[in-house]
Amino acid sequence: MSLPRQPGVPHPRLPLPEGQLEDLAAFQQWLSDAIPMVSGLGISEMTRQGDSLIWQLALGPNLNDKGTGFGGALTAQTTLQGWCWVTLWLRERGIARDVVVAEARQRFLAPVTSDYRLVCTPAVSEGPTQLANKLAERGKGRIALTQQLYCGETLCLEANGSYAVLSER
């Protein structure tokens, strides 16, 4: 159990994986320590498939007054998942940098009525290559990502965000 977070005090970075695949369970535990609200979001599983980051989530912790998914919680999850996608992408390349969300928007398409999955992918297939080039050229860069939330096969929410990788301090 870690100590409570203090405002204005950065959380220590998770050591970069050395020549091995990221332990997503350890990353999720670090994430819960670094961002206290994460432990209440109902993330039950985090996996990677190609350029996709996939989360399985429980509806229970994210209910609204109508018994469906609370839009604010779903929005937080999409924003956080994009941040995680970029952070994990950097970590795979041995890069420890700060990532921030620059822009985010959501479109709610159907109510979330059961446990669900959230899938994050680059908005364009060239996105990761473009980000790598910007980092090499300028030491910073941005990438656009899309998050899609599914209940079964029903697309309930689609989000888009732009995430910035900051220059080294």
Side-chain angles (χ1 to χ4, degrees):
M1 179 81 130
S2 63
L3 297 174
R5 292 292 317 278
Q6 297 298 314
V9 178
H11 191 71
R13 289 184 196 266
L14 184 65
L16 291 170
E18 295 182 22
Q20 59 194 25
L21 292 176
E22 185 80 48
D23 178 346
L24 292 177
F27 178 79
Q28 186 175 344
Q29 180 56 57
W30 171 85
L31 190 63
S32 292
D33 294 341
I35 304 172
M37 71 178 273
V38 169
S39 61
L41 292 178
I43 304 167
S44 61
E45 184 180 17
M46 189 182 293
T47 58
R48 301 281 313 247
Q49 290 181 3
D51 272 347
S52 297
L53 176 61
I54 303 163
W55 289 0
Q56 301 295 327
L57 296 110
L59 177 58
N62 303 295
L63 287 172
N64 64 17
D65 59 318
K66 295 162 215 52
T68 60
F70 173 57
L74 305 177
T75 296
Q77 291 165 355
T78 61
T79 301
L80 178 65
Q81 190 186 38
W83 181 91
C84 288
W85 188 101
V86 179
T87 299
L88 289 166
W89 183 89
L90 290 167
R91 291 175 56 75
E92 287 174 359
R93 287 150 185 79
I95 302 169
R97 291 283 189 77
D98 286 331
V99 176
V100 297
V101 60
E103 181 181 347
R105 60 191 170 281
Q106 300 76 33
R107 192 168 60 124
F108 296 87
L109 305 168
V112 177
T113 57
S114 63
D115 292 351
Y116 52 98
R117 77 182 180 285
L118 194 55
V119 180
C120 181
T121 56
V124 295
S125 61
E126 309 82 40
T129 301
Q130 292 169 347
L131 177 58
N133 292 340
K134 287 292 183 191
L135 290 172
E137 293 167 12
R138 302 179 58 216
K140 60 183 179 177
R142 276 191 185 202
I143 187 167
L145 299 172
T146 298
Q147 298 87 18
Q148 294 180 311
L149 186 155
Y150 294 90
C151 287
E153 296 305 311
T154 302
L155 178 60
C156 298
L157 180 154
E158 187 165 65
N160 298 286
S162 175
Y163 296 82
V165 178
L166 304 180
S167 299
E168 290 184 276
R169 296 182 211 175

